Each structure stands twice: as C-alpha cells, then as structure tokens.
C-alpha cells in the first residue's frame, strides 16, 4: 500500500532559526495536505497542495509540492516558540488520507 | 458549532474488557474516520465511513469494530482490549469543498493494563 515518510523525525532549533520538514511518498499523489498538532492536542489542517510544482505561503510557512507529485516540503522561516508541535503531511487518496510519520519541532527561546 | 466531539477523554481498561468510544460531529459531513496515534508512527487509519450506512477497513482494523449510527455519530468498539491497543484515538470528519480537509476531535487517551 501507499507509504508516506517524513524526515527528520525530530528537530530542535533556537528561536529565529529556520526549519524544514520533507515528505516523500512511495506513489504519485493526487493532492497533499499538511497538518499541525500542538503538544497534547489534535491535528489541525494547514493547507492542501494540488498542482505539480505548486508553492504556497502562509506568513512564515512555505509549502512546496514536487514536480513529480511524490514529495513535498514545509519550510518555516525564523521559527517562534508558537511553532512548537508535530507537522504531518498526508497523501490524499480516494475517500481517505495516508499520513506521514510526522516531524516533531521543538523551539527553544 | 462544537465541531467534532469525543467521549471519553481518558480511559483505563484491563485486558479483555470491552468499551465503545463515541464520536459526533455537527458540521453535516458525510465522511468520518477513526485513527490511532502511537509515538513515532503518525496517525494510522482504523476504519472509516464514507457516508451514512457504509463502513470500510483502514490500515489497522484488527481488534476493532465500528458503527455509523447516523450522519452525526460514528462509534469505535474494542470487544476484548489488549495492551497493544494502548494509544490515543482520534475521530475526524471530512469537509467536501475546496480543500477537503479533515476536522479532528480532541482525542481519547486509552490505556490497557
């Protein structure tokens, strides 16, 4: 079945540093979604990417979808302590999502 | 709107006990989902219901059953709990629209001793 992997599994940065998480699928994706889960919380939708090579920005967050639609990345510029949490990508399949393993981000002030 | 609600928030069971996790959504979504989350393994789909009256297995259905009671409610049952089912369980529902995003409940933290 479809597998979605993310790297790194964990990253600890100082506030103000940049952060990137990478998502790789074993199969071509139709769309990809990104979610954020705060510690002790539940996943919250951030964005969906649909087109090959698509780049979308949300303030300090930049999302990219690869040309082959098999990989994606999330880049955070100048991290803040409010960025702490686990970031998941999810491949969109028929009626369901396949979630990546997640990248846990810790930001020290 | 309450969004997606789950009960209970916490539960401790002994091996072999049964229980039902309840989930309800008030957003008129057709599709609902049950996931389990274990450290380092992300979210794994247990069962889903694409519409009222239908249910389908996900990635890890063994040891679980589900009921789509009506459009609002989707319950998950553990008939004979095992320690391997210790996990955080999330229910979600899906919007049909521009993003098709899933909305998650607050989760149930289950420990099986």
């Amino acid at each position: 079945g479809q597998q979605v992997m993310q790297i790194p599994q964990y990253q600890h940065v100082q506030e103000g540093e940049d952060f990137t998480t990478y998502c790789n699928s074993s199969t071509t994706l139709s769309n990809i979604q990104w979610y954020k889960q705060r510690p002790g919380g539940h996943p919250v939708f951030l964005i969906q990417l649909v087109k090959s090579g698509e780049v979308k920005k949300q303030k300090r967050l930049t999302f990219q979808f690869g040309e082959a639609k098999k990989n994606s990345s999330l880049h955070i510029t100048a991290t803040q302590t409010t960025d702490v949490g686990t970031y998941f990508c999810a491949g969109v399949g028929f009626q369901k999502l396949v979630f990546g393993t997640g990248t846990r981000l810790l930001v020290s002030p | 709107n309450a969004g997606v609600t789950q009960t209970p928030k916490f539960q401790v069971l002994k091996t072999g006990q049964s229980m039902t996790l309840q989930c309800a959504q008030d957003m008129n979504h057709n599709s609902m989902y049950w996931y389990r989350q274990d450290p380092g393994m992300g979210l794994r789909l247990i069962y889903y219901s694409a519409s009222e009256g239908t249910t389908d297995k996900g990635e890890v259905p063994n040891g679980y059953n589900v009921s789509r009671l009506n459009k609002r409610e989707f319950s998950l049952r553990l008939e004979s709990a095992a320690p391997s089912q210790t996990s955080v369980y999330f229910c979600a529902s899906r919007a049909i629209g521009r993003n098709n995003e899933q909305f998650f409940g607050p989760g149930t933290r289950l420990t099986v001793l």
Side-chain angles (χ1 to χ4, degrees):
Chain A
Q2 182 183 38
Q3 291 188 330
V4 180
M5 302 299 294
Q6 278 182 259
I7 54 170
Q9 188 173 357
Y10 171 81
Q11 188 152 7
H12 185 179
V13 301
Q14 293 294 122
E15 190 171 24
E17 292 181 337
D18 291 357
F19 160 77
T20 304
T21 173
Y22 300 91
C23 178
N24 292 286
S25 171
S26 58
T27 59
T28 301
L29 301 168
S30 56
N31 306 328
I32 193 162
Q33 296 182 353
W34 285 89
Y35 290 78
K36 176 184 178 180
Q37 183 178 23
R38 294 184 187 276
H42 58 276
V44 175
F45 175 82
L46 293 175
I47 206 162
Q48 175 168 271
L49 304 174
V50 176
K51 299 176 184 176
S52 169
E54 188 170 15
V55 178
K56 285 188 176 180
K57 292 190 176 184
Q58 289 181 349
K59 297 183 181 178
R60 295 178 293 104
L61 278 61
T62 302
F63 302 85
Q64 287 190 299
F65 202 5
E67 292 289 343
K69 301 185 80 173
K70 293 185 74 173
N71 57 72
S72 181
S73 65
L74 158 59
H75 179 82
I76 302 178
T77 303
T79 54
Q80 299 175 358
T81 54
T82 53
D83 295 325
V84 164
T86 302
Y87 293 85
F88 292 97
C89 63
V92 178
F94 180 68
Q95 298 286 6
K96 58 187 178 181
L97 299 175
V98 177
F99 279 86
T101 45
T103 296
R104 184 181 167 203
L105 173 64
L106 184 61
V107 181
S108 294
Chain B
N1 288 350
V4 180
T5 57
Q6 291 183 238
T7 55
K9 286 188 167 52
F10 301 93
Q11 184 71 48
V12 179
L13 294 177
K14 295 181 179 178
T15 297
Q17 288 185 317
S18 62
M19 79 161 296
T20 300
L21 282 64
Q22 306 288 351
C23 174
Q25 53 92 9
D26 62 0
M27 296 175 283
N28 202 35
H29 291 166
N30 285 324
S31 301
M32 298 185 71
Y33 305 82
W34 276 105
Y35 296 90
R36 60 176 290 172
Q37 184 173 37
D38 303 294
M41 301 192 72
L43 291 149
R44 292 184 293 169
L45 183 64
I46 305 171
Y47 271 93
Y48 66 102
S49 171
S51 61
E52 186 179 354
T54 68
T55 60
D56 286 284
K57 295 179 180 179
E59 182 186 354
V60 288
N62 291 345
Y64 305 94
N65 284 302
V66 290
S67 294
R68 183 74 183 267
L69 303 170
N70 47 55
K71 191 171 186 179
R72 290 187 65 249
E73 298 171 289
F74 188 37
S75 62
L76 178 72
R77 182 160 178 84
L78 287 70
E79 290 291 351
S80 179
S84 60
Q85 294 179 304
T86 293
S87 189
V88 180
Y89 292 85
F90 288 102
C91 176
S93 67
R94 186 170 72 110
I96 302 297
R98 192 166 60 91
N99 285 318
N100 295 319
E101 69 261 40
Q102 291 192 9
F103 292 82
F104 284 79
T108 294
R109 283 151 180 79
L110 175 67
T111 301
V112 183
L113 302 175

